[in-house]
Amino acid sequence: MGRKVEVVNAARARGSRSASQVGGALVQTLVVLVVLAVAGYELIAIGVTSFAVDDASRQVARAARDAYRSSDGSLDATSEAAATAAETHRSQVTDISIDGEDLTVTLTRRATTLLVHQLAATEELGVREATGRAALDTR
């Protein structure tokens, strides 16, 4: 009878180690999935922001062009209109230029990320910039 108990106890010990190993593997899998989910979120947030700021730059350039036309070429009115339009797109105007034929507006926007903006080494990855143009002579 003593030998049978030892065999049963040995089998149980092996079973509990297997359960422990399964639990450890499950925790490792969950950690990997969480890391992949956060990385995926960060990449998607930066990508969406890139598209959004690109679209916003064109819209802001058109709004600035319209202000330029309606104010008979006032750069103050143009800058103010660009800043107001950029604000509605959660962006900042970093440059406005007029080259005679086109009005060009450059915008920046920070992506809504979980970690990228927190780390100094990766902070700039979350800042997206785009330039939009609007023809001055088109009515």
Side-chain angles (χ1 to χ4, degrees), residues 31-92:
V31 168
V32 167
L33 289 174
V34 167
V35 168
L36 290 174
V38 169
Y41 175 83
E42 300 289 270
L43 289 173
I44 290 170
I46 291 170
V48 167
T49 300
S50 294
F51 285 116
V53 76
D54 187 55
D55 183 53
S57 68
R58 289 190 299 273
Q59 292 181 25
V60 170
R62 287 191 295 269
R65 178 204 53 208
D66 294 344
Y68 181 80
R69 286 179 181 164
S70 66
S71 67
D72 294 326
S74 168
L75 295 180
D76 289 337
T78 302
S79 296
E80 187 175 318
T84 302
E87 192 174 296
T88 64
H89 294 283
R90 299 181 326 181
S91 303
Q92 295 80 38

Side-chain angles (χ1 to χ4, degrees), residues 61-123:
R62 287 191 295 269
R65 178 204 53 208
D66 294 344
Y68 181 80
R69 286 179 181 164
S70 66
S71 67
D72 294 326
S74 168
L75 295 180
D76 289 337
T78 302
S79 296
E80 187 175 318
T84 302
E87 192 174 296
T88 64
H89 294 283
R90 299 181 326 181
S91 303
Q92 295 80 38
V93 176
T94 55
D95 185 48
I96 297 177
S97 62
I98 299 172
D99 69 0
E101 295 178 11
D102 291 331
L103 185 138
T104 305
V105 176
T106 302
L107 300 181
T108 59
R109 181 174 174 181
R110 184 173 305 276
T112 307
T113 59
L114 299 173
L115 298 175
V116 169
H117 69 280
Q118 302 274 346
L119 306 171
T122 60
E123 185 175 11

